Amino acid sequence: GNIFDIFSLLAVFISCLGLFGLVSYAAEKRTKEIGIRKVLGSSVNEIVILLSKDFLILVIISGLIAIPLSYYFVQKWLEQFAYRINMNPLLFILSILSVLTISFITISYHAIKAATANPVKSLRYE
């Protein structure tokens, strides 16, 4: 059980690093757009929502795909045991909410960093 916990945490950490890199790349790619939006009066919250929305929608879609598949395969696996338990749908909902929370924390670092950056620096070379 301990080994499973360690490898699960390691998998979550590696996926967060991948998401962190992807958000970093997207924020760097959209630096000029963010600078223009800030000059035109966008707030930090609007820019954070702009950057976070795309990634969180992808996390929600992946959750909607993963829930039925995992439920089906877990039910098939549990049928092999003499003593069975019933799967609670709340378990799957909590897992998706925790993934959304971890994803939002990972995304928000770069989103806030890009939203609070000085727009003059990003637009200087245009």
Side-chain angles (χ1 to χ4, degrees):
N2 290 336
I3 292 174
F4 183 74
D5 291 341
I6 290 170
F7 282 116
S8 296
L9 289 175
L10 185 64
V12 169
F13 179 72
I14 290 171
S15 64
C16 285
L17 284 178
L19 184 63
F20 189 76
L22 190 61
V23 171
S24 173
Y25 175 72
E28 186 71 29
K29 188 176 172 184
R30 297 174 81 175
T31 302
K32 292 177 185 142
E33 176 191 352
I34 293 168
I36 292 170
R37 286 181 184 272
K38 283 193 66 153
V39 167
L40 293 177
S42 288
S43 67
V44 174
N45 289 338
E46 291 172 351
I47 294 173
V48 169
I49 290 171
L50 174 77
L51 290 174
S52 301
K53 181 176 58 172
D54 298 333
F55 293 105
L56 292 179
I57 288 174
L58 290 175
V59 170
I60 290 170
I61 291 171
S62 66
L64 292 176
I65 293 170
I67 286 175
L69 288 174
S70 61
Y71 182 77
Y72 174 75
F73 287 117
V74 167
Q75 285 296 99
K76 288 292 182 188
W77 180 62
L78 289 174
E79 286 177 359
Q80 298 174 2
F81 293 100
Y83 298 104
R84 295 185 188 102
I85 61 168
N86 292 328
M87 292 301 299
N88 190 356
L90 184 62
L91 178 69
F92 295 105
I93 293 170
L94 287 176
S95 66
I96 294 300
L97 289 177
S98 65
V99 166
L100 278 172
T101 304
I102 292 170
S103 299
F104 184 73
I105 291 169
T106 304
I107 292 167
S108 64
Y109 172 75
H110 273 296
I112 292 172
K113 184 179 172 185
T116 58
N118 190 357
V120 174
K121 290 183 181 179
S122 64
L123 298 173
R124 178 177 294 163
Y125 299 108
E126 286 298 314

